[in-house]
Amino acid sequence: MKKIQMVDLKGQYEEIKNQVNNSVFNVIDSAAFINGPEVHAFQQDLEEYLGVKHVIPCANGTDALQVAMMGLGLKPGDEVITVDFTFAATVEVIALLQFTPVLIDVDPNTFNIDIDQLKHAITSKTKAIVPVHLFGQVANMDEIMNIAKEHDLFVIEDNAQAIGASYRSKNGSKQKAGTIGHVGATSFFPSKNLGCYGDGGAVFTNDDDLAHTIRGIVNHGMYERYHHDVVGVNSRLDSIQAAVLRAKLPKLEAYNNARRSAARKYNEAFKEVEQIITPKVEQHCPSSGSSNYCNDCDCHVFHQYTLKVKDVDRDGLVKHLNENGIPCGVYYPIPLHKQKAYADKHYDEKNFEVTNTISDEVISLPMHTELDDEQIEFITAKVKEFIQN
Ligand SMILES: *Cc1c(COP(=O)(O)O)cnc(C)c1O
């Protein structure tokens, strides 16, 4: 059996080696390292793939969130609602820009923003909502957009974990995750579903004015050379990373299918195990029928395959897997409202019941495009061995 990895970037590279090497060496040959033709070409390819008017490449996913928020013209003290259960980057940029982060709980089945809590968290100071499409599952965008419209709020989608996922609205329309809100942000960190070989990120929007504003912000607030109209930042996707991404983008659908296929096999292996709750895929798609849950839907791209374990020593399970050469992850072990940087005396523990519970129950198994059946069988057998003994 091949050595099991959490993410197999090397194995994936072997498949596309010639193409990636050619593109990267072409960039080096051209010496157009910054804002070269590859960056523009990738931007256009991604706009076409996502069906969005504007993609603005930038240096990483955290910057993408930051410049998206800067572009919306929020003011210090404005409240921005996001989830307690996500990677810290989401709340970090809100705090950094001196907006007031308002953390709320998530749905225990989908790990995504809790719609009831969202309704209750809105005040006269609320200006924006940041749903995170966690682990690759698109949040309930129909509800979020309705609430945003009613209260005149911006929606910034944190799409770092769900690039390529589709969302079907109740009205039947289908859009790519990250292109539904006013603005979306993604990351091309190597382990993300569309990863480069370093750091990278991008912002998406259908709003021409906002796109123009953000294009200036990522380039030192310049709209005309050496005229600095607003305070900006330096946040660029470099040409070598763009060349890698351009070679990988045509494979993204196949990559996401491979992840879904691995998820199906995991689900199958765990379906009889009472203590294991496999990821729920929630969507208004034809195959979900009346249950609202479906097993094989492109609304989930399985950035992570995350189980909840009940009445199981989760940390013992992690140790057991590691001892058997199986890497695994706990995303995320500590809710953000308990982190020193983001704790706030106004938070009430009883509003974070779900996050407090699931942070002790979640375990993410190896998930990538190169997992084979033998590996999945070994992993699932070792999980069951610990739980059923
Ligand atoms: C990875 C990630 C980010 C940040 O992306 P970077 O490219 O690492 O800056 C933001 N939000 C979420 C949910 C992420 O998973």
Side-chain angles (χ1 to χ4, degrees), residues 1-287:
M1 187 173 63
K2 278 190 303 180
K3 184 172 182 290
I4 298 173
Q5 308 199 48
M6 197 62 188
V7 180
D8 186 359
L9 295 174
K10 188 86 202 279
Q12 196 187 53
Y13 170 63
E14 294 297 332
E15 301 279 312
I16 51 173
K17 193 168 186 165
N18 286 337
Q19 211 180 341
V20 168
N21 288 4
N22 281 339
S23 323
V24 168
F25 279 109
N26 281 341
V27 171
I28 299 174
D29 250 354
S30 76
F33 297 117
I34 298 292
N35 283 335
E38 280 295 323
V39 177
H40 192 64
F42 170 65
Q43 174 194 320
Q44 287 179 324
D45 289 354
L46 190 57
E47 284 166 354
E48 191 180 326
Y49 170 77
L50 293 171
V52 71
K53 268 174 102 175
H54 304 283
V55 165
I56 303 121
C58 65
N60 57 68
T62 310
D63 276 10
L65 285 165
Q66 180 179 331
V67 298
M69 287 183 206
M70 288 170 79
L72 292 171
L74 309 191
K75 305 269 180 312
D78 285 349
E79 291 178 3
V80 178
I81 300 173
T82 193
V83 284
D84 194 31
F85 192 64
T86 174
F87 180 57
T90 321
V91 66
E92 180 179 55
V93 296
I94 300 171
L96 199 64
L97 294 170
Q98 299 190 347
F99 310 146
T100 303
V102 176
L103 295 172
I104 63 171
D105 216 345
V106 294
D107 177 281
N109 291 315
T110 61
F111 305 117
N112 277 332
I113 195 162
D114 181 299
I115 298 297
D116 278 335
Q117 280 218 8
L118 171 58
K119 288 178 186 161
H120 285 113
I122 294 169
T123 72
S124 58
K125 288 185 180 165
T126 308
K127 289 286 155 30
I129 308 167
V130 189
V132 181
H133 303 315
L134 203 73
F135 303 149
Q137 154 100 73
V138 191
N140 188 339
M141 292 305 292
D142 277 341
E143 291 275 8
I144 293 165
M145 294 311 290
N146 281 340
I147 293 167
K149 203 166 168 194
E150 189 182 325
H151 297 273
D152 200 17
L153 309 175
F154 293 116
V155 174
I156 303 143
E157 296 177 71
D158 183 339
N159 197 36
Q161 301 191 2
I163 194 155
S166 293
Y167 182 77
R168 286 179 187 76
S169 292
K170 277 194 179 128
N171 70 17
S173 74
K174 189 172 164 180
Q175 287 162 283
K176 290 282 189 206
T179 69
I180 305 160
H182 299 88
V183 59
T186 203
S187 163
F188 304 122
F189 186 80
S191 64
K192 298 286 158 88
N193 289 35
L194 179 63
C196 57
Y197 294 168
D199 274 310
V203 179
F204 324 135
T205 185
N206 284 307
D207 180 328
D208 297 338
D209 293 336
L210 182 60
H212 174 76
T213 303
I214 295 172
R215 283 210 173 89
I217 289 173
V218 298
N219 188 26
H220 303 290
M222 262 196 300
Y223 296 90
E224 197 185 323
R225 210 165 160 81
Y226 299 120
H227 294 254
H228 302 273
D229 294 356
V230 294
V231 178
V233 295
N234 168 18
S235 188
R236 297 183 277 240
L237 179 71
D238 72 67
S239 306
I240 287 181
Q241 300 309 334
V244 172
L245 290 165
R246 240 189 124 203
K248 286 179 77 172
L249 181 59
K251 313 248 180 232
L252 179 59
E253 290 283 310
Y255 288 160
N256 285 339
N257 284 336
R259 288 172 177 274
R260 268 196 294 276
S261 161
R264 266 198 309 277
K265 290 170 189 164
Y266 276 136
N267 286 343
E268 187 60 30
F270 294 134
K271 73 174 186 224
E272 311 279 312
V273 188
E274 217 181 303
Q275 298 97 318
I276 294 179
I277 299 167
T278 55
K280 287 263 191 301
V281 178
E282 188 178 39
Q283 198 59 178
H284 315 288
C285 73
S287 58

Side-chain angles (χ1 to χ4, degrees), residues 274-277 308-314 317 357 360-361 386-389:
E274 217 181 303
Q275 298 97 318
I276 294 179
I277 299 167
K308 284 184 295 185
V309 289
K310 302 273 179 191
D311 305 316
V312 170
D313 168 13
R314 190 268 317 269
L317 174 59
T357 306
D360 291 331
E361 294 177 344
F386 182 82
I387 288 180
Q388 291 173 335
N389 277 338

